Amino acid sequence: MSTRSPDSPPLPEPGFAPRASVASHEASARSEPLPMSGAKGAPLPLLAVAVLGVLVLAGISLLIGVSHVSWEALLAPSENQRAVQVLVISRVPRTLALLLAGMSLAVAGLIMQMLARNRFVEPFTAGTAESASLGLLAVTLLAPGLPILARTAVAACFAMAGTALFLFILRRIPLRSALVVPVVGLVLGAIFDAATTFFAYRFSLLQSLMAWTTGDFSSVLRGRYELLWGAFVLTVIAYVVADRFTVAGMGEAFTTNLGLSHPRIMALGLAIVAMVTAVVVATVGMIPFIGLVVPNVVSLIVGDNARRSIPWVAVLGAGFVLLCDIVGRVVRQPYEIPVGTVAGVVGSLLFLHLLLRRDDRVG
Amino acid sequence: MSASALRLEGHERRLLLLGGLAAFCVVVFMTVDAGGKWDFVLPFRARKVATVLLVGYAIAVSTVLFQTVVENRVLTPAIMGFDTLYLLLQTSLLFFLGSRTMASLDSRLLFTVEVAIMVVFSAVLHRWLFEGGRRSVHLLLLTGVVLGVLFRSLSSFLQRLIAPGEFDFLQDRFFASFNNPDPDLLIVSALMTLGASVLGFSLMRTCDVLNLGRDVAINLGVDHRRTVSRLLAVVAVLVSVSTALVGPVTFFGLLVANLAHGLVRSHRHVHVLPAAVFLAVIGLLGGQLVLERVFSFGANLRVIIEFLGGLMFITLLMRGVLR
């Protein structure tokens, strides 16, 4: 993360307290100020630095690739038509897709963590992404002719159903510990995955399945990524209603006490998360751990107020995906390593770090 | 089994029943639809059955022993990422040695070396995970699951760095699969399993004591640390064997071990271990039979096992087995 906010303030060790589930006895251990207290606002200039960092990464992302594209060639377009074409048809869409996917996935992760009231949840660790790809498979099998928008809509429905099932199972688990939650999600994801693989195998679709489960931006071209703008719109909506998620994150009773409808906020949040996930899975595939790692890091920097943290989450999410993609493209030129794989390695390492650095407080 | 076979106790009767069912599966698998060409069918199927028996045995025994060591019914070597660790090891060996070096080495020797490294690795992993103070089971579980994801991603990362030709080589090595077992590998695996079993057998009674919990076991005079590291070596060998033969099967061990505990209703390893092995054989051979003959599906068994095992895992959690 250091590349994007090189001079982030020394983190005041707030610990990695899960956003207290009701049954969690770890709740008392949180030394973090309450979300609404706003004592820990990170200065705006820092956010500007982060944005600048992401822009630099985006610039790098535009310039690397098999076909040589240099600034000089672009500045003298008459001599080198090809560079401009490469840029417009391939590079710019790819970089935009990376930015959009990173932003929306990270924010989706944040929302999910607030709704499930658990810091280890994200579309990848809650079965959402897997159920979305099950939905895609169902469309491919049953109605192959549907336009991409309809396919995505079906995937979103599946994603929502899968996530609802996840939340339902969570409610049924006695002695819910914050750490069991992602395990349930990962296993649920494995179950969906098994079902998907089963049918894909039966109908010889394993290869297409591989293509849409591993996050990969190498096939992004103009005309093939625009749906991701939809995910961006959803992210903006999330920002607009951010305060509601903050409130919902404090519990059902608290929410109701403030005169808000808890189920309605939950439904709204679920819908946003499911649609974002479905769009990303349908266009580029799964990118694990972004929605998990980024919000957690942000929460260390700016605290838990959604209104304040969403811009950070979006910016750092975009930066994270960009960085993973750049690494994947540079390591083995001219071949590529899909971003999903790179994110799997980096993300799981970061996640392990987040998990194990708090072990002194787990009895 | 006691000498007076006429008066069997409940769990012994159930054990016999399971054994009989397993044997029945083997016989049916060997003979069904042979079409008279016995001299071809029998050796061909025998190799398949041998693989299944070996894999079923390895998975069942390693899971039961591992659960005894960690004193928990939900953790299994596969869930803790052990078999993905083996895959990673395979991939990195190819990555650093290259296929030419690997092909020039004796595959049996190579496998032995891999298993040896695996034993060392799992010992280190275990020390790191289990002996760093009193960590909660939940933390362990989550760490294991994420380690699994990490190992898997790392392997596929390395696989992407490997040239396509080399990758084919790797894939051949990875999954001998039930249908096409490598006879050399099968023999080495069998020998290793045998060796591990001898070691495990000598510890069987101590395992019953371990079941009482770490503190009680130590109190009763068990050298806990030594026993546990030996048992884990056995587990590591068995995990390597099963992964080398058919690849990772995350939830199969969980399914078998928990069914075995539930069915024999005995805490003694003399009863639980064979029950788990029988169940594994029934599950693999019987499942394959049903799939092939009844539904005429292909080799989808692993996927179905994953599905059922995952369901069982969640059921276990909902019943509050994990504390």
Side-chain angles (χ1 to χ4, degrees), chain A residues 169 172-175 177 179-180 182-184 186-188 190-191 194 197-198 201-202 289 331-332 337-338 341-342 344-345 348-349 351-352 355-356 359 362-363, chain B residues 128 134-136 138-139 141-143 145-147 149-150 153-154 156-157 160-161 163 251 297 299-300 303-304 306-307 310-311 313-314 317-320 322-323:
Chain A
I169 293 174
R172 299 284 302 273
I173 289 180
L175 274 177
S177 143
L179 295 165
V180 173
V183 174
V184 172
L186 285 164
V187 173
L188 194 65
I191 296 178
T197 312
F198 180 84
Y201 182 88
R202 292 279 289 150
F289 291 120
V331 169
R332 183 164 166 68
I337 295 163
T341 307
V342 181
V345 174
S348 50
L349 280 175
F351 185 27
L352 281 176
L355 265 180
L356 295 176
D359 58 0
V362 176
Chain B
W128 179 56
R134 298 150 292 128
R135 284 182 174 163
S136 80
H138 299 125
L139 184 63
L141 183 54
L142 190 54
T143 311
V145 170
V146 177
L147 274 180
V149 178
L150 175 65
S153 312
L154 267 178
S156 63
F157 186 79
R160 294 274 176 169
L161 293 181
F251 294 113
F297 285 0
N300 263 321
V303 175
I304 294 178
E306 290 294 278
F307 189 78
L311 286 184
F313 183 87
I314 288 186
L317 287 183
M318 284 167 82
R319 282 222 218 112
L322 188 71
R323 263 179 266 272

Side-chain angles (χ1 to χ4, degrees), chain B residues 124-181:
Chain B
V124 171
L125 191 65
H126 183 267
R127 285 277 142 76
W128 179 56
L129 282 180
F130 291 82
E131 294 195 354
R134 298 150 292 128
R135 284 182 174 163
S136 80
V137 192
H138 299 125
L139 184 63
L140 271 182
L141 183 54
L142 190 54
T143 311
V145 170
V146 177
L147 274 180
V149 178
L150 175 65
F151 295 150
R152 212 179 278 266
S153 312
L154 267 178
S155 329
S156 63
F157 186 79
L158 288 180
Q159 282 164 20
R160 294 274 176 169
L161 293 181
I162 295 170
E166 304 252 299
F167 181 70
D168 285 346
F169 177 83
L170 186 70
Q171 251 188 341
D172 278 354
R173 276 207 109 80
F174 258 5
F175 306 117
S177 97
F178 291 120
N179 297 319
N180 180 28

